Amino acid sequence: MNKETVKITGMTCAACAQRIQKSVSKLDGVNEANVNIATERLSVEYEESKVSKAKIQEVVEKLGYGIIWEKKTNSVTIPIGGMTCAACAQRIEKILNKLDGVEKASVNLATEKATVVYDPQVVRLSGIKKSIEKLGYKALDIEQEGTIDQDKLRKQKEIKTLRTKFIVSLIFAVPLLYFAMAPMVSWWPFPIPEFFAPMMHPLRYAILQLTLVTPIIIAGYRFYTVGFRALLQRSPNMDSLVAIGTSAAMIYSIYNTFEIAGGNPHAVMGLYYESAGVIITLILLGKSLEAVSKGKTSEAIKKLIGLAPKTAIVIQDGKEIEVPIEEVEIGDVIVVKPGDKIPVDGVVLEGTTAIDEAMLTGESMPVGKKTGDPVYAASINKNGMIRFQATKVGKDTALAQIIKLVEDAQGSKAPIAQIADIVSGYFVPIVVIIAIVAFAAWMISGQSLAFSLTIFISVLVIACPCALGLATPTAIMVGTGKGAENGILFKGGEALEMTHKITTIVFDKTGTITEGNPEVTDIIPTPGSDRNKLLQLAASGEKGSEHPLGDAIVRGAEKENLELLRVEQFEAIPGHGIKVILESKEVLIGNKKLMKDREIALNELSARSDQLAGEGKTPMYVAVDHKLAGIIAVADVVKEGSAKAIQKLQEMGIEVVMITGDNRKTAEAIAKQVGIYRVLAEVLPQDKSNEVKKLQAEGKKVCMVGDGINDAPALVQADVGMAIGSGTDVAMESADIVLMRSDLMDVPTAIHLSRRTIRNIKENLFWAFGYNTAGIPIAAGVLYLFGGPLLSPMFAAAAMSLSSVSVLTNALRLKRFKPYHE
């Protein structure tokens, strides 16, 4: 039995809904049909064997309405074994994106994973995995929560296998190279034994080399199985280049061995066994080093996952019982002793302590905790014993959400990666053509088959696009990982790339530049009004408000032990204030705009209000029954690091703007304290995104920094949205970057990290492109034309391996990145 919810368009009344419901219900195989006119949706339960989606659609459309089947998509991350270069990743991605039911597929060479968004009703996961395996790669077990240990073990096993293959190859490649090269070097002090002398016993010499190269070919068998399969499927990759090149050397050498056996001793000069053997050995060395370096790029995520404790002490039937972390349920009471890690997120019930939350915020100073305070999984309890109640477990904890964000970011592609993807898709076929053309050209020019074959092999081997494929994803992995270590969470490669282009930063004032915990500073009643009564009325009205300034007034009244009155009626006036009915009186509390709109005279308090605003305080007017009763001034303290962070941004060449709903004089006073020269004041929450739009219309790349709640539309509108706050804000959908701390120095740090990462990517791409651009002509014999040397295939293999390792090493330099506050 299938159950579907579909959107119906064109309905105008309840009769429409009734008509559709009746017609669909009559269909044979439909068990139940319900149409909701309010949501414009049809819920239908049906047997797929008796009635199809097409038939239901036909009935609805015949009645004159539209029907939209809502796609149900799953997202899955599939680890892939056997990828060796950018062409492999490009090939898998291309095939997966062509599958019916696959909405989007992205393959990351550095993480060796495919992220696939698909419709399970159209294509099954087994079908996706089968498509990968048809191409000659291995679709490994799907990653579930907490599978980092298996992933780590798999990668360690891969490194061990590659290392073993390299050692086996090296053991045979060293004597093979010695026997091949020693007869050609007159000054070599260790001549080969006479028993194997090439001119005296050429057949023995050839068979010895064939015997030594065979184990090397076996060790590198995957180059042939994967390479030739890719070639047959018309999608050649790096393995194809190695397979063609070394096979050509092997076939030519075996042909000459038969020539020697047939009585032609001069054919001994045409043996190229050592080229095939040494090429495979050097590439295996490169792959081993590459695998180790790849492992280092994802260390940040491994560190985060390794932070989570494996067990928790839970109170059950009055006893302390140690249980695995997976068995902790929401509502459990957990005991944490000094020095232990907090197992899950929760709220302190009993005890006081200091907790190191560096894993969440990057902040080294422990945070004091008492009853009612939140605690987060993997943070460390420093000195007191506490009992707390679990509120979030498993994938809902702040740590799990951070890990998810970092994993998503590391698996994503930056727009700059598209260059490498496009190039690598065409690169290998072009290289094969260049190799064939170079081979033919030298043969036509009168060079020997041996000479032309050397050119052919060198071009194929030196042109491997591994470095090209690793240039972008490795830098993104290290950059996002480094950000996570410092409490800066990039939500994807696109956010990381866009951040380096920022020219203007817009800061929200309250809670971003300021502490967000304002205090009442002045209470000024009008003549004839009572000070305490003014505060009591304002606090009673603001009790129902969620605005930080309202909270400050309520706290002010509580400090003076004033009893709050019962609110008979409450109305919020967005961007202006509130209207309440108290003791049968209409009380207005808000800004100057509200008073002007209601035509309430400010009289002598207007000048006093301007004076308070000039001091950086926010004056709140209180009017009772359309008469001004007084002003309550509230001030918010500027955060300690705000001025320093803004100065740093200005030094980086970035324009800084402050946006606030506060009155202009107060806003300008705060802006002056922190060194901001452009202020957008008296902006309603819903208009903040329009102000960002105006800045973008000036040709600026805008970053919005806010608390992610009332600033959500502006965060979405901006080219980059940064949400600043604690670990509880990790899941904020509106921002591109989440800053775990409330330290504004993380804003210039995020931009600096983005700039460093993009510079690193550009360096990588320059060297990868430059290496191939310079390497192919040299391998094709351009230098030889002008009297220079001919590139040996063995040197080509060494250069190719080193190019990949150099790109990875360059990306790993980002691990030395230091944030500005250190």
Side-chain angles (χ1 to χ4, degrees):
M1 192 70 74
N2 272 12
K3 198 165 186 180
E4 295 277 352
T5 301
V6 295
K7 187 169 175 61
I8 304 292
T9 58
M11 289 193 294
T12 54
C13 64
C16 299
Q18 196 64 26
R19 194 171 159 219
I20 296 165
Q21 187 171 304
K22 197 175 176 183
S23 298
V24 173
S25 296
K26 280 182 181 176
L27 283 170
D28 183 33
V30 171
N31 188 38
E32 189 184 355
N34 288 299
V35 179
N36 187 321
I37 183 70
T39 61
E40 296 182 319
R41 274 169 169 71
L42 158 68
S43 296
V44 58
E45 196 176 280
Y46 65 99
E47 289 179 50
E48 210 169 7
S49 57
K50 290 184 180 179
V51 63
S52 65
K53 279 184 177 183
K55 186 64 184 170
I56 296 168
Q57 185 160 338
E58 188 187 324
V59 167
V60 174
E61 286 175 347
K62 266 188 181 176
L63 294 171
Y65 305 99
I67 182 168
I68 301 165
W69 293 91
E70 296 185 351
K71 279 189 179 178
K72 292 178 183 173
T73 58
N74 285 352
S75 181
V76 68
T77 300
I78 308 169
I80 298 174
M83 288 196 297
T84 52
C85 68
C88 299
Q90 183 75 0
R91 186 171 160 229
I92 297 166
E93 193 172 292
K94 195 175 177 183
I95 295 297
L96 291 181
N97 277 312
K98 280 183 181 175
L99 284 178
D100 283 342
V102 170
E103 212 167 90
K104 190 186 176 191
S106 176
V107 179
N108 189 315
L109 177 63
T111 58
E112 296 175 321
K113 291 171 189 172
T115 303
V116 186
V117 179
Y118 68 101
D119 182 351
Q121 305 234 320
V122 180
V123 62
R124 295 187 71 84
L125 183 56
S126 56
I128 294 169
K129 292 175 89 171
K130 205 176 279 180
S131 296
I132 294 168
E133 286 175 353
K134 263 188 189 173
L135 295 171
Y137 305 97
K138 203 170 180 184
L140 302 165
D141 291 337
I142 301 301
E143 300 209 329
Q144 303 294 337
E145 191 184 341
T147 58
I148 192 70
D149 291 337
Q150 290 92 314
D151 188 50
K152 189 178 175 183
L153 287 170
R154 190 172 63 240
K155 287 210 165 130
Q156 283 174 347
K157 189 181 174 184
E158 185 194 343
I159 292 167
K160 193 178 176 183
T161 304
L162 281 167
R163 200 170 278 158
T164 305
K165 285 181 175 182
F166 165 65
I167 290 165
V168 168
S169 297
L170 187 66
I171 289 166
F172 290 95
V174 170
L176 175 63
L177 190 61
Y178 163 68
F179 281 109
M181 303 306 288
M184 300 180 197
V185 185
S186 57
W187 50 264
W188 186 250
F190 308 106
I192 63 172
E194 195 177 298
F195 186 76
F196 291 115
M199 301 318 293
M200 294 171 69
H201 306 287
L203 188 59
R204 282 182 204 165
Y205 179 75
I207 290 169
L208 172 67
Q209 287 199 38
L210 178 60
T211 306
L212 288 170
V213 82
T214 302
I216 302 172
I217 299 295
I218 292 166
Y221 79 95
R222 286 205 80 263
F223 294 121
Y224 301 95
T225 55
V226 175
F228 284 122
R229 187 185 290 145
L231 201 60
L232 290 169
Q233 291 172 342
R234 290 179 295 179
S235 300
N237 61 6
M238 168 259 183
D239 292 327
S240 305
L241 297 179
V242 174
I244 297 166
T246 54
S247 294
M250 284 296 294
I251 290 164
Y252 184 60
S253 301
I254 290 166
Y255 165 75
N256 280 309
T257 302
F258 278 108
E259 281 286 297
I260 295 164
N264 179 10
H266 296 292
V268 77
M269 302 306 293
L271 298 178
Y272 276 85
Y273 289 121
E274 84 285 353
S275 288
V278 174
I279 284 168
I280 287 171
T281 304
L282 287 169
I283 293 171
L284 285 170
L285 170 63
K287 288 285 155 199
S288 302
L289 295 171
E290 201 178 291
V292 171
S293 299
K294 273 187 194 172
K296 285 181 182 173
T297 61
S298 58
E299 273 176 8
I301 197 89
K302 287 174 189 168
K303 275 184 195 169
L304 282 172
I305 291 170
L307 289 170
K310 300 287 184 279
T311 60
I313 298 170
V314 177
I315 304 289
Q316 287 182 5
D317 301 324
K319 293 178 184 175
E320 293 182 8
I321 298 167
E322 190 168 352
V323 299
I325 197 77
E326 296 81 19
E327 291 181 23
V328 177
E329 301 286 346
I330 291 171
D332 280 351
V333 176
I334 298 161
V335 176
V336 184
K337 294 169 184 173
D340 287 352
K341 285 183 179 179
I342 307 292
V344 294
D345 291 4
V347 176
V348 178
L349 296 175
E350 193 182 306
T352 57
T353 187
I355 291 180
D356 179 358
E357 293 182 348
M359 43 63 66
L360 261 184
T361 63
E363 186 62 66
S364 55
M365 287 295 289
V367 181
K369 298 286 178 181
K370 60 185 186 305
T371 303
D373 286 345
V375 290
Y376 302 105
S379 53
I380 302 165
N381 184 23
K382 284 292 189 181
N383 47 34
M385 189 172 92
I386 56 166
R387 288 187 182 203
F388 76 92
Q389 188 168 40
T391 55
K392 288 180 181 174
V393 299
K395 66 179 188 303
D396 296 323
T397 64
L399 177 69
Q401 290 184 41
I402 292 171
I403 290 165
K404 179 80 171 71
L405 277 179
V406 178
E407 279 180 334
D408 288 349
Q410 292 194 339
S412 69
K413 286 187 177 180
I416 198 169
Q418 290 169 1
I419 305 166
D421 284 351
I422 292 163
V423 171
S424 60
Y426 296 101
F427 193 78
V428 178
I430 290 168
V431 167
V432 173
I433 292 164
I434 291 169
I436 292 166
V437 169
F439 173 81
W442 284 109
M443 285 293 287
I444 292 164
S445 71
Q447 288 290 350
S448 67
L449 178 63
F451 181 93
S452 302
L453 192 65
T454 300
I455 296 285
F456 178 74
I457 297 166
S458 296
V459 171
L460 289 175
V461 172
I462 202 166
C464 167
C466 301
L468 206 56
L470 292 167
T472 307
T474 46
I476 286 173
M477 283 177 74
V478 180
T480 50
K482 201 68 198 171
E485 281 177 30
N486 291 288
I488 300 164
L489 304 180
F490 292 92
K491 285 193 176 178
E494 194 170 347
L496 183 65
E497 180 174 341
M498 183 53 78
T499 303
H500 93 285
K501 297 178 182 176
I502 293 304
T503 58
T504 301
I505 287 195
V506 180
F507 284 105
D508 175 48
K509 179 178 81 73
T510 307
T512 304
I513 289 174
T514 63
E515 289 287 356
N517 292 313
E519 297 288 335
V520 172
T521 55
D522 301 84
I523 301 168
I524 305 156
T526 54
S529 297
D530 179 67
R531 176 190 179 278
N532 283 359
K533 187 67 179 174
L534 178 69
L535 182 58
Q536 184 189 38
L537 287 170
S540 300
E542 292 287 3
K543 185 71 178 171
S545 167
E546 292 178 355
H547 199 283
L549 301 180
D551 281 346
I553 293 171
V554 173
R555 286 197 306 273
E558 285 170 351
K559 275 182 189 173
E560 298 196 19
N561 299 316
L562 296 174
E563 188 183 342
L564 299 185
L565 306 169
R566 191 175 70 82
V567 176
E568 293 162 32
Q569 195 180 318
F570 179 93
E571 183 193 340
I573 306 164
H576 292 77
I578 59 169
K579 182 177 92 173
V580 292
I581 305 294
L582 293 165
E583 297 178 329
S584 302
K585 295 172 185 174
E586 183 186 279
V587 180
L588 289 168
I589 307 159
N591 55 24
K592 192 180 275 188
K593 272 186 182 178
L594 179 64
M595 299 298 125
K596 279 188 176 177
D597 287 352
R598 302 299 166 113
E599 297 178 346
I600 294 166
L602 303 181
N603 301 327
E604 70 278 1
L605 287 187
S606 182
R608 184 78 175 103
S609 162
D610 290 345
Q611 184 191 340
L612 291 166
E615 292 167 9
K617 297 169 184 176
T618 302
M620 302 273 282
Y621 295 90
V622 182
V624 180
D625 288 337
H626 300 282
K627 284 183 71 180
L628 189 67
I631 294 174
I632 297 175
V634 176
D636 196 358
V637 182
V638 170
K639 280 181 188 172
E640 196 179 329
S642 292
K644 189 180 169 189
I646 287 154
Q647 185 188 346
K648 188 74 196 171
L649 287 165
Q650 288 164 342
E651 285 170 9
M652 292 167 80
I654 295 168
E655 178 191 22
V656 182
V657 178
M658 186 176 85
I659 194 166
T660 179
D662 224 332
N663 71 73
R664 179 156 292 281
K665 286 201 171 176
T666 303
E668 284 175 350
I670 296 289
K672 195 176 178 184
Q673 285 182 49
V674 293
I676 293 176
Y677 306 106
R678 187 169 179 179
V679 179
L680 305 172
E682 298 172 13
V683 180
L684 299 176
Q686 61 268 31
D687 292 335
K688 284 184 180 178
S689 61
N690 290 330
E691 292 296 334
V692 170
K693 257 188 208 172
K694 286 177 192 172
L695 290 168
Q696 289 169 325
E698 293 173 26
K700 302 174 192 293
K701 292 289 180 190
V702 181
C703 171
M704 173 73 195
V705 184
D707 61 16
I709 300 162
N710 64 334
D711 300 315
L715 287 167
V716 172
Q717 176 60 44
D719 296 287
V720 175
M722 286 191 197
I724 188 162
S726 68
T728 53
D729 294 326
V730 170
M732 282 192 292
E733 292 296 323
S734 49
D736 302 296
I737 301 167
V738 178
L739 307 177
M740 301 296 290
R741 298 183 290 192
S742 293
D743 185 354
L744 281 199
M745 280 306 289
D746 285 344
V747 177
T749 296
I751 294 167
H752 181 46
L753 177 58
S754 170
R755 287 178 177 181
R756 283 278 305 275
T757 306
I758 297 303
R759 189 175 75 193
N760 192 282
I761 288 170
K762 286 176 179 174
E763 286 167 0
N764 285 349
L765 287 172
F766 172 80
W767 287 114
F769 279 123
Y771 160 80
N772 283 310
T773 307
I776 292 171
I778 292 168
V782 170
L783 292 181
Y784 186 80
L785 274 175
F786 298 100
L790 186 67
L791 186 70
S792 159
M794 288 179 282
F795 285 113
M800 183 271 282
S801 295
L802 287 170
S803 72
S804 297
V805 175
S806 65
V807 161
L808 284 160
T809 306
N810 188 46
L812 289 170
R813 285 193 308 123
L814 280 170
K815 289 171 84 70
R816 298 203 295 264
F817 175 84
K818 296 282 182 201
Y820 280 130
H821 51 75
E822 280 189 9

